[in-house]
Amino acid sequence: MTTLSNMPEISSRAMATTRDWMWTSFSRSPPMPTYLLAMFVTDYESLETIYKLDGDRSVKLRFWGRPDQLPHLKESMAVAGDLLNYLVKYVRQPFTLPKIDLITSPIQLHFEAMENWGLILFREIRLYHNKETDSEDDSFTLIQIMAHELAHQFFGNLVTSNWWIDIWFNECMSLLFEMESTDYANAKRHVSLCSRTPQIHSIRHEIRRGANRTADGYLTSGDGRRS
Protein backbone atom coordinates (compact mmCIF):
# COMPACT_ATOMS: atom_id res chain seq x y z
CA MET A 1 0.00 0.00 0.00
CA THR A 2 1.10 3.58 -0.71
CA THR A 3 0.13 6.72 1.18
CA LEU A 4 -0.12 10.02 -0.68
CA SER A 5 -0.70 13.58 0.46
CA ASN A 6 -0.20 17.11 -0.83
CA MET A 7 3.54 17.03 -0.14
CA PRO A 8 6.19 14.33 -0.69
CA GLU A 9 6.68 11.54 1.83
CA ILE A 10 9.76 11.98 4.01
CA SER A 11 9.61 8.85 6.18
CA SER A 12 7.60 5.72 6.87
CA ARG A 13 7.92 3.34 9.82
CA ALA A 14 5.95 0.52 11.38
CA MET A 15 3.58 1.48 14.19
CA ALA A 16 4.68 -0.18 17.43
CA THR A 17 1.19 -0.84 18.80
CA THR A 18 -0.66 -1.97 15.68
CA ARG A 19 0.29 -4.89 13.46
CA ASP A 20 0.76 -4.23 9.74
CA TRP A 21 0.12 -0.48 10.05
CA MET A 22 2.64 2.16 9.01
CA TRP A 23 3.22 5.70 10.24
CA THR A 24 4.01 7.98 7.30
CA SER A 25 5.28 11.55 7.56
CA PHE A 26 5.18 14.18 4.83
CA SER A 27 7.00 17.43 4.18
CA ARG A 28 5.34 20.51 5.64
CA SER A 29 2.91 22.06 3.19
CA PRO A 30 2.74 25.77 2.45
CA PRO A 31 -0.19 27.63 4.06
CA MET A 32 -3.36 26.69 2.20
CA PRO A 33 -7.14 26.45 2.62
CA THR A 34 -8.22 23.36 4.54
CA TYR A 35 -10.48 22.17 1.70
CA LEU A 36 -7.35 21.46 -0.35
CA LEU A 37 -5.91 19.01 2.18
CA ALA A 38 -5.91 15.52 0.68
CA MET A 39 -4.68 12.04 1.59
CA PHE A 40 -4.97 8.68 -0.13
CA VAL A 41 -4.06 5.16 0.94
CA THR A 42 -3.99 3.04 -2.19
CA ASP A 43 -2.72 -0.10 -3.84
CA TYR A 44 -2.60 1.67 -7.21
CA GLU A 45 0.53 1.66 -9.34
CA SER A 46 2.07 4.72 -10.95
CA LEU A 47 3.98 6.09 -13.90
CA GLU A 48 6.42 8.90 -13.18
CA THR A 49 8.21 11.61 -15.08
CA ILE A 50 10.38 14.58 -14.11
CA TYR A 51 9.39 17.68 -16.07
CA LYS A 52 11.70 20.69 -16.37
CA LEU A 53 9.76 23.92 -16.00
CA ASP A 54 10.60 27.42 -17.13
CA GLY A 55 13.05 29.09 -14.76
CA ASP A 56 15.30 26.09 -14.05
CA ARG A 57 12.80 24.35 -11.78
CA SER A 58 11.68 20.74 -12.09
CA VAL A 59 8.55 19.00 -10.86
CA LYS A 60 7.87 15.31 -10.37
CA LEU A 61 4.62 14.19 -12.02
CA ARG A 62 3.17 10.83 -10.98
CA PHE A 63 0.07 9.31 -12.57
CA TRP A 64 -1.75 6.68 -10.49
CA GLY A 65 -4.24 4.02 -11.48
CA ARG A 66 -5.02 0.34 -11.59
CA PRO A 67 -2.51 -1.81 -13.49
CA ASP A 68 -4.90 -2.11 -16.44
CA GLN A 69 -5.18 1.70 -16.63
CA LEU A 70 -1.46 2.46 -16.79
CA PRO A 71 -1.06 2.00 -20.57
CA HIS A 72 -3.85 4.54 -21.08
CA LEU A 73 -2.24 7.26 -18.96
CA LYS A 74 0.20 8.22 -21.72
CA GLU A 75 -2.14 10.90 -23.11
CA SER A 76 -2.22 12.63 -19.73
CA MET A 77 1.52 12.24 -19.29
CA ALA A 78 2.13 13.77 -22.72
CA VAL A 79 0.25 17.01 -21.97
CA ALA A 80 0.37 17.63 -18.19
CA GLY A 81 3.91 18.97 -18.08
CA ASP A 82 3.38 21.20 -21.12
CA LEU A 83 0.17 22.60 -19.64
CA LEU A 84 1.84 23.34 -16.31
CA ASN A 85 4.83 24.98 -17.97
CA TYR A 86 2.54 27.10 -20.15
CA LEU A 87 0.83 28.40 -17.00
CA VAL A 88 4.15 29.05 -15.26
CA LYS A 89 5.31 31.19 -18.17
CA TYR A 90 1.96 32.91 -18.67
CA VAL A 91 1.44 34.03 -15.06
CA ARG A 92 5.18 34.52 -14.43
CA GLN A 93 5.03 32.63 -11.17
CA PRO A 94 6.93 29.43 -10.36
CA PHE A 95 5.12 26.28 -9.38
CA THR A 96 6.42 26.00 -5.84
CA LEU A 97 5.63 22.39 -4.89
CA PRO A 98 8.16 19.65 -5.70
CA LYS A 99 5.58 17.21 -7.08
CA ILE A 100 2.06 16.67 -8.36
CA ASP A 101 0.32 13.32 -7.99
CA LEU A 102 -2.62 12.75 -10.34
CA ILE A 103 -4.87 9.90 -9.27
CA THR A 104 -8.14 8.35 -10.39
CA SER A 105 -11.01 7.70 -8.02
CA PRO A 106 -12.01 4.05 -7.38
CA ILE A 107 -15.63 5.18 -7.02
CA GLN A 108 -17.94 7.19 -9.25
CA LEU A 109 -17.60 10.88 -8.43
CA HIS A 110 -20.31 13.52 -8.82
CA PHE A 111 -17.73 15.94 -10.20
CA GLU A 112 -15.01 15.69 -12.84
CA ALA A 113 -11.94 16.39 -10.70
CA MET A 114 -10.68 18.11 -7.55
CA GLU A 115 -7.69 20.45 -7.55
CA ASN A 116 -6.06 19.47 -4.23
CA TRP A 117 -2.68 21.22 -4.16
CA GLY A 118 -0.09 18.71 -5.35
CA LEU A 119 -2.56 15.77 -5.31
CA ILE A 120 -5.26 16.09 -7.97
CA LEU A 121 -8.19 13.67 -8.00
CA PHE A 122 -9.97 12.71 -11.25
CA ARG A 123 -12.90 10.61 -12.31
CA GLU A 124 -11.48 7.47 -13.94
CA ILE A 125 -12.55 8.45 -17.46
CA ARG A 126 -10.96 11.92 -17.07
CA LEU A 127 -7.38 10.80 -16.50
CA TYR A 128 -6.85 7.92 -18.89
CA HIS A 129 -7.53 7.70 -22.63
CA ASN A 130 -7.96 4.47 -24.55
CA LYS A 131 -7.20 5.19 -28.20
CA GLU A 132 -9.07 2.07 -29.32
CA THR A 133 -12.39 3.01 -27.73
CA ASP A 134 -12.29 6.73 -26.88
CA SER A 135 -13.02 9.51 -29.35
CA GLU A 136 -11.13 12.70 -30.19
CA ASP A 137 -13.77 14.57 -28.18
CA ASP A 138 -12.89 12.39 -25.19
CA SER A 139 -9.25 13.34 -25.65
CA PHE A 140 -10.19 17.04 -25.87
CA THR A 141 -12.23 16.79 -22.65
CA LEU A 142 -9.36 15.05 -20.86
CA ILE A 143 -6.98 17.88 -21.77
CA GLN A 144 -9.59 20.52 -20.91
CA ILE A 145 -10.17 19.14 -17.41
CA MET A 146 -6.44 18.63 -16.86
CA ALA A 147 -5.87 22.26 -17.86
CA HIS A 148 -8.58 23.46 -15.47
CA GLU A 149 -7.20 21.60 -12.46
CA LEU A 150 -3.64 22.73 -13.18
CA ALA A 151 -4.87 26.33 -13.48
CA HIS A 152 -6.34 25.94 -9.99
CA GLN A 153 -2.83 25.21 -8.70
CA PHE A 154 -2.30 28.95 -9.17
CA PHE A 155 -5.85 30.36 -8.95
CA GLY A 156 -7.39 29.00 -5.79
CA ASN A 157 -4.33 27.26 -4.34
CA LEU A 158 -1.39 29.66 -4.59
CA VAL A 159 -3.76 32.66 -4.59
CA THR A 160 -6.93 32.16 -2.55
CA SER A 161 -10.09 34.20 -2.04
CA ASN A 162 -10.63 35.82 1.34
CA TRP A 163 -13.94 34.04 1.84
CA TRP A 164 -16.38 31.62 0.20
CA ILE A 165 -18.51 34.34 -1.38
CA ASP A 166 -15.60 35.06 -3.75
CA ILE A 167 -14.72 31.44 -4.52
CA TRP A 168 -16.42 31.76 -7.89
CA PHE A 169 -13.58 34.05 -8.95
CA ASN A 170 -11.17 31.10 -8.65
CA GLU A 171 -13.42 29.17 -11.00
CA CYS A 172 -13.67 32.03 -13.51
CA MET A 173 -9.92 32.47 -13.68
CA SER A 174 -9.34 28.72 -13.93
CA LEU A 175 -11.95 28.47 -16.69
CA LEU A 176 -10.28 31.26 -18.64
CA PHE A 177 -6.83 29.71 -18.33
CA GLU A 178 -8.31 26.28 -19.01
CA MET A 179 -9.32 27.54 -22.45
CA GLU A 180 -6.07 29.39 -23.07
CA SER A 181 -3.89 26.40 -22.18
CA THR A 182 -6.19 23.91 -23.94
CA ASP A 183 -5.81 26.00 -27.09
CA TYR A 184 -2.05 25.83 -26.64
CA ALA A 185 -1.95 22.07 -26.00
CA ASN A 186 -4.19 21.20 -28.93
CA ALA A 187 -2.32 23.52 -31.31
CA LYS A 188 0.88 21.76 -30.28
CA ARG A 189 -0.82 18.42 -31.06
CA HIS A 190 -2.18 19.88 -34.35
CA VAL A 191 -5.79 19.24 -33.28
CA SER A 192 -8.40 21.45 -34.93
CA LEU A 193 -10.68 23.46 -32.63
CA CYS A 194 -12.84 24.92 -35.42
CA SER A 195 -16.09 23.36 -34.20
CA ARG A 196 -15.54 24.73 -30.70
CA THR A 197 -14.13 28.15 -31.54
CA PRO A 198 -17.39 30.23 -31.40
CA GLN A 199 -18.32 28.74 -28.03
CA ILE A 200 -14.81 29.29 -26.65
CA HIS A 201 -14.71 32.94 -27.76
CA SER A 202 -18.17 33.58 -26.29
CA ILE A 203 -17.27 32.10 -22.90
CA ARG A 204 -13.92 33.90 -22.89
CA HIS A 205 -15.68 37.23 -23.51
CA GLU A 206 -18.19 36.68 -20.69
CA ILE A 207 -15.46 35.71 -18.22
CA ARG A 208 -13.38 38.77 -19.00
CA ARG A 209 -16.43 41.04 -18.78
CA GLY A 210 -17.37 39.52 -15.40
CA ALA A 211 -13.80 39.77 -14.13
CA ASN A 212 -13.69 43.44 -15.07
CA ARG A 213 -16.91 44.13 -13.15
CA THR A 214 -15.54 42.27 -10.14
CA ALA A 215 -12.23 44.13 -10.19
CA ASP A 216 -14.15 47.39 -10.42
CA GLY A 217 -16.43 46.87 -7.47
CA TYR A 218 -16.06 43.73 -5.41
CA LEU A 219 -12.54 42.47 -4.79
CA THR A 220 -11.04 43.54 -1.48
CA SER A 221 -7.83 42.81 0.36
CA GLY A 222 -7.74 41.16 3.77
CA ASP A 223 -8.12 44.47 5.61
CA GLY A 224 -11.16 45.50 3.58
CA ARG A 225 -9.45 47.81 1.09
CA ARG A 226 -10.12 47.50 -2.60
CA SER A 227 -7.47 45.39 -4.38
Side-chain angles (χ1 to χ4, degrees):
M1 302 291 283
T2 302
T3 307
L4 304 173
S5 192
N6 304 80
M7 297 294 286
E9 176 185 327
I10 56 175
S11 67
S12 185
R13 57 182 174 81
M15 295 178 66
T17 58
T18 308
R19 188 178 65 181
D20 298 331
W21 284 66
M22 303 294 292
W23 185 274
T24 303
S25 299
F26 298 91
S27 300
R28 184 180 294 274
S29 73
M32 65 181 183
T34 53
Y35 76 89
L36 296 174
L37 177 65
M39 183 172 293
F40 291 90
V41 179
T42 180
D43 60 355
Y44 282 178
E45 297 178 8
S46 67
L47 298 175
E48 178 181 314
T49 183
I50 304 294
Y51 194 95
K52 189 177 184 305
L53 298 172
D54 195 57
D56 295 326
R57 297 180 66 94
S58 295
V59 61
K60 179 189 291 186
L61 301 174
R62 294 189 297 183
F63 300 79
W64 296 84
R66 299 190 311 267
D68 62 294
Q69 294 174 335
L70 296 186
H72 307 304
L73 290 171
K74 293 179 180 179
E75 179 92 4
S76 295
M77 294 184 71
V79 299
D82 287 343
L83 288 170
L84 183 62
N85 198 48
Y86 176 81
L87 288 161
V88 166
K89 291 192 291 186
Y90 198 114
V91 303
R92 299 181 184 179
Q93 289 291 326
F95 181 74
T96 54
L97 300 191
K99 64 89 177 174
I100 303 179
D101 286 302
L102 306 98
I103 189 169
T104 63
S105 169
I107 60 174
Q108 184 66 27
L109 300 175
H110 297 293
F111 51 89
E112 301 286 14
M114 178 60 200
E115 67 269 17
N116 312 304
W117 208 358
L119 179 50
I120 306 174
L121 173 67
F122 293 84
R123 294 176 70 178
E124 285 193 343
I125 60 172
R126 298 311 183 203
L127 188 59
Y128 69 85
H129 178 74
N130 188 333
K131 291 186 177 181
E132 295 182 1
T133 58
D134 295 340
S135 67
E136 189 62 41
D137 268 359
D138 293 327
S139 176
F140 181 95
T141 302
L142 179 150
I143 294 171
Q144 196 174 29
I145 293 171
M146 176 82 68
H148 186 91
E149 303 312 316
L150 290 173
H152 267 306
Q153 304 300 297
F154 299 90
F155 300 100
N157 298 7
L158 180 63
V159 177
T160 304
S161 301
N162 282 338
W163 192 240
W164 294 102
I165 58 172
D166 293 322
I167 205 75
W168 64 270
F169 192 72
N170 299 343
E171 294 299 332
C172 284
M173 294 302 296
S174 294
L175 178 57
L176 176 61
F177 279 94
E178 163 198 319
M179 291 184 289
E180 298 285 349
S181 51
T182 299
D183 283 359
Y184 165 79
N186 281 308
K188 192 171 182 179
R189 296 164 66 246
H190 307 293
V191 173
S192 173
L193 301 179
C194 291
S195 63
R196 298 176 183 264
T197 296
Q199 178 188 17
I200 288 172
H201 286 324
S202 176
I203 295 172
R204 187 177 285 139
H205 172 73
E206 288 301 317
I207 291 172
R208 284 176 172 154
R209 190 172 67 169
N212 287 336
R213 287 200 304 267
T214 300
D216 185 54
Y218 294 102
L219 285 185
T220 60
S221 63
D223 60 2
R225 294 175 301 169
R226 290 262 299 275
S227 297

